[in-house]
Amino acid sequence: MTDGRRTSRRSQAWFGAQGRSGMVYRSWMRNQGLGHEVFDGRPVIGVATSASELAPCNAHLTQVAEAVKRGVWQAGGLPLQFPTMATGETLMRPTAMLYRNLMAMEVEELIRANPLDGVVLLSGCDKTTPAMLMGAASVDLPAVMVTGGPMLNGKYRGQDVGSGTHVWKFEEDLKTGRMTEEECFFAEGCMARSHGHCMTMGTASTMACMAEALGMQLPGSAAWPAVDSRRMETAQAAGQRIVTMVEEELRPSWILTREAFENAIRVNAAIGGSTNAVIHLIALAGRVGVELGLRDFDDLVRAVPTLVDLMPSGKYLMEDFCYAGGLPAVMAELLGGKLLHGEQITVNGRTIAENTESAERFGPDVITRLDAPFQPAGTGIAVLHGNLCPDGAVIKQSAASPHLLTHRGPARVFDSPEAYHEVADDPDLDVDKNTVIVIRNAGPKGYPGMPEVSNVPLPTKLLKAGVKDMVRVCDGRMSGTGYGTVVLHVAPEAAVGGPLALVRDGDLVVLDVPNRVLRLDVDDAELTRRRQAWTAPAERHTSGYAWLYTQNVEQADRGADFGFLRGSRGHEVPRDSH
């Protein structure tokens, strides 16, 4: 039935089996109209799609899957599409991050349990991309990522508006009377003009770029808008390429090396990417046994300027970025400055240097040069330490207010984001522009799931007084579309007894980003007394997935993965039950 070369394929343990087992596997597949010839030993390619109408960013992936399948057929493979869950940040409560690890588990087990030789991963919204990469890395079969692409630029009254970023701006305008309810209602329909994920450099766009920078996505494919025909062209090309990757046995473990992660970290700095990339890259590195820590995200980016002028740090959007040259133009610039490992292999079998040697830059205002950058070196993500975050915290400098990067002010403490929102509009709220708003119990275990709540809106009374920004400190996350002087991912979190749990109203908080310090100006003896009086919050979940999550999730500095999912479990063929 098969030749000697093809019987070694993993899928042939199913479709090449003799007797009853082989008959079961082949005959049931043939109820879909597949002829016997497709079981001749050709590569069987899984097309994993997170398409879902509950995840608007991913809703169009059904069409993208068809393009991938065309490519697989053209290259002589057998494409088999299967669904995965979709972790859409826009609708899921309490947060899509709660389910990233669950999706990664599902992707991993679906790939391993089925007769697949390789897989194409279709993702869109924030957590679907890292979840799929994590799952595929833990199986280590040939894999290619295809992200769904950003939406077209939002348009409102003659100006470009960015998804997410303008949500915060419009909210402030509404609270201060610069915008009416009717205008706001109209504006919200102007932000999402097409299929696709956020067109700002939010987490979805960032993680698409990270997949490309790591070498797991075809070069140039991260930025094509979802509705641009070239999005489908790249999807078809990915389908063709995965068949060849199976022949070459080019697996994620070959691509996801320490050098690949260093490249991604520097690219994230250059594009003004989301702080969420820190958590996702650390978690992914843990799946392939690459040592990656918070300090890497500080040490590796100090010499890297922000080259891309995109919201929320700048003014342009992903459509502009794409037509200005996209990620290859950025990576070529970084290679010219010897800031990337050019010899790193990618899914197309070529190196980073080879993939970018012909890259061109068409929008000098959107993608700047190293010698005249949008923002100077050292303005990317900074990693802070101190007695308030002994295991680290992060801040996105390019989205912060420069005058607040060195700040000392009294804390106003809230035990949850909800507690803050209850009083944020109170005209008598005891805060001023120097106050440091502390939001705690929003970490991986405490919320649970570490939601994007850290950049809480400023108190209404201060907005009306003309205050544009304040220092905020939280053990949760912030949307990549957000902005402001917000210290995030404080570790350990308050819910497990981290120092954030010990802060009291009026305590002086010292933020010194240039020196990478976040400190509580309270003596050690007092902190010891407070710790002795502290009691852990009661467990909110005693069963179900939320219980599994809270019992096993690691802290933000470890990627918020489950400890038992670290490492690769391989792709050994499961036992035959027939």
Side-chain angles (χ1 to χ4, degrees):
M1 186 175 185
T2 59
D3 60 35
R5 178 176 61 86
R6 288 179 166 181
T7 53
S8 63
R9 290 227 174 89
R10 187 176 182 272
S11 59
Q12 284 300 290
W14 283 263
F15 299 138
Q18 301 299 311
R20 181 180 63 185
S21 291
M23 186 180 298
V24 168
Y25 296 128
R26 292 186 298 271
S27 64
W28 261 264
M29 288 298 291
R30 292 183 69 176
N31 80 349
Q32 301 177 71
L34 295 172
H36 68 86
E37 69 277 2
V38 301
F39 306 113
D40 61 357
R42 68 187 65 191
V44 178
I45 305 300
V47 182
T49 174
S50 55
S52 171
E53 291 180 351
L54 287 172
C57 305
N58 297 31
H60 66 299
L61 292 178
T62 301
Q63 289 74 47
V64 179
E66 291 301 318
V68 172
K69 290 160 70 176
R70 282 200 305 272
V72 175
W73 283 119
Q74 288 170 340
L78 170 60
L80 297 174
Q81 180 178 331
F82 65 95
T84 70
M85 68 183 295
T87 50
E89 191 66 73
T90 52
L91 295 183
M92 294 188 87
R93 293 185 180 182
T95 169
M97 185 63 176
L98 178 63
Y99 302 102
R100 184 202 64 179
N101 297 346
L102 179 61
M103 183 179 180
M105 291 173 67
E106 181 195 35
V107 169
E108 175 183 348
E109 299 304 329
L110 284 172
I111 296 172
R112 183 180 295 110
N114 284 290
L116 303 177
D117 301 306
V119 63
V120 178
L121 310 165
L122 306 187
S123 68
C125 197
D126 300 18
K127 313 306 174 296
T128 53
T129 300
M132 284 184 150
L133 288 172
M134 289 160 66
S138 289
V139 185
D140 202 28
L141 281 174
V144 178
M145 171 63 67
V146 176
T147 49
M151 294 183 283
L152 297 176
N153 289 2
K155 299 287 184 179
Y156 174 66
R157 292 188 171 181
Q159 64 173 317
D160 282 351
V161 295
S163 51
T165 299
H166 271 80
V167 168
W168 325 122
K169 293 181 185 293
F170 290 155
E171 181 184 43
E172 291 176 0
D173 288 347
L174 191 61
K175 285 189 172 186
T176 55
R178 295 191 296 265
M179 196 176 208
T180 66
E181 289 279 2
E182 291 76 15
E183 289 170 334
C184 192
F185 184 75
F186 178 79
E188 71 183 41
C190 299
M191 282 188 284
R193 299 173 51 228
S194 73
H195 286 304
H197 57 67
C198 286
M199 83 299 279
T200 53
M201 189 53 78
T203 306
S205 294
T206 295
M207 293 312 299
C209 291
M210 292 298 93
E212 184 174 327
L214 285 165
M216 289 298 295
Q217 182 159 218
L218 290 177
S221 62
W224 288 118
V227 295
D228 192 302
S229 63
R230 287 161 289 191
R231 170 60 50 192
M232 297 304 177
E233 286 184 27
T234 58
Q236 184 170 312
Q240 295 170 333
R241 177 58 193 161
I242 188 63
V243 175
T244 306
M245 287 176 67
V246 170
E247 300 282 359
E248 297 170 343
E249 297 189 1
L250 179 54
R251 308 181 188 280
S253 57
W254 289 23
I255 299 169
L256 296 174
T257 64
R258 166 73 189 193
E259 290 74 20
F261 283 98
E262 290 184 1
N263 283 348
I265 289 170
R266 287 185 167 134
V267 168
N268 191 54
I271 63 176
S274 169
T275 51
N276 288 302
V278 177
I279 287 181
H280 298 320
L281 289 175
I282 290 175
L284 178 59
R287 298 299 185 98
V288 291
V290 170
E291 288 297 323
L292 201 68
L294 274 182
R295 289 194 184 276
D296 291 317
F297 288 83
D298 201 308
D299 295 343
L300 290 169
V301 305
R302 286 181 180 257
V304 182
T306 304
L307 298 179
V308 179
D309 183 359
L310 254 65
M311 297 181 196
S313 301
K315 64 179 180 180
Y316 294 104
L317 294 166
M318 283 296 289
E319 191 178 351
D320 308 306
F321 176 58
C322 177
Y323 305 142
L327 201 64
V330 175
M331 295 181 73
E333 189 70 13
L334 294 176
L335 275 168
K338 303 187 185 307
L339 292 170
L340 295 183
H341 300 284
E343 73 284 359
Q344 184 60 36
I345 197 72
T346 70
V347 288
N348 71 349
R350 306 178 74 208
T351 66
I352 292 289
E354 291 170 331
N355 286 338
T356 58
E357 63 186 357
S358 61
E360 294 184 77
R361 187 176 63 112
F362 304 105
D365 294 335
V366 182
I367 302 174
T368 61
R369 297 284 194 194
L370 282 172
D371 57 3
F374 170 57
Q375 292 194 25
T379 53
I381 292 170
V383 177
L384 312 176
H385 286 86
N387 67 352
L388 196 49
C389 55
D391 291 337
V394 302
I395 186 170
K396 185 175 180 178
Q397 296 180 84
S398 63
S401 298
H403 73 281
L404 290 175
L405 293 177
T406 302
H407 183 79
R408 187 172 186 265
R412 183 70 167 85
V413 184
F414 299 90
D415 286 329
S416 69
E418 293 80 9
Y420 171 77
H421 288 297
E422 287 177 3
V423 299
D425 295 330
D426 185 349
D428 297 321
L429 183 64
D430 185 19
V431 292
D432 61 31
K433 65 180 183 179
N434 295 313
T435 301
V436 175
I437 297 175
V438 175
I439 309 289
R440 61 191 176 199
N441 298 313
K445 181 179 174 67
Y447 202 76
M450 204 178 178
E452 296 179 340
V453 296
S454 301
N455 60 321
V456 293
L458 303 192
T460 301
K461 78 171 193 178
L462 296 183
L463 284 173
K464 290 181 176 179
V467 176
K468 302 293 186 182
D469 195 9
M470 295 173 68
V471 175
R472 285 150 281 178
V473 177
C474 184
D475 47 11
R477 296 179 300 117
M478 178 173 80
S479 168
T481 66
Y483 54 89
T485 310
V486 189
V487 178
L488 312 155
H489 310 180
V490 172
E493 63 177 303
V496 299
L500 204 63
L502 310 179
V503 183
R504 295 181 180 174
D505 285 343
D507 288 347
L508 289 176
V509 176
V510 178
L511 174 64
D512 184 355
V513 175
N515 289 304
R516 302 303 195 259
V517 170
L518 177 67
R519 180 170 55 84
L520 193 65
D521 199 1
V522 175
D523 65 62
D524 292 342
E526 173 59 21
L527 290 177
T528 299
R529 284 192 290 271
R530 293 182 189 180
R531 181 169 300 284
Q532 291 170 345
W534 180 80
T535 56
E539 293 284 351
R540 296 174 58 191
H541 302 280
T542 57
S543 62
Y545 174 69
W547 174 85
L548 176 72
Y549 183 94
T550 55
Q551 297 303 304
N552 291 282
V553 69
E554 297 182 318
Q555 288 294 290
D557 63 300
R558 297 272 290 171
D561 199 1
F562 294 156
F564 64 80
L565 290 178
R566 282 183 165 269
S568 173
R569 283 156 288 286
H571 48 264
E572 182 179 348
V573 175
R575 289 186 292 178
D576 190 350
S577 62
H578 295 290

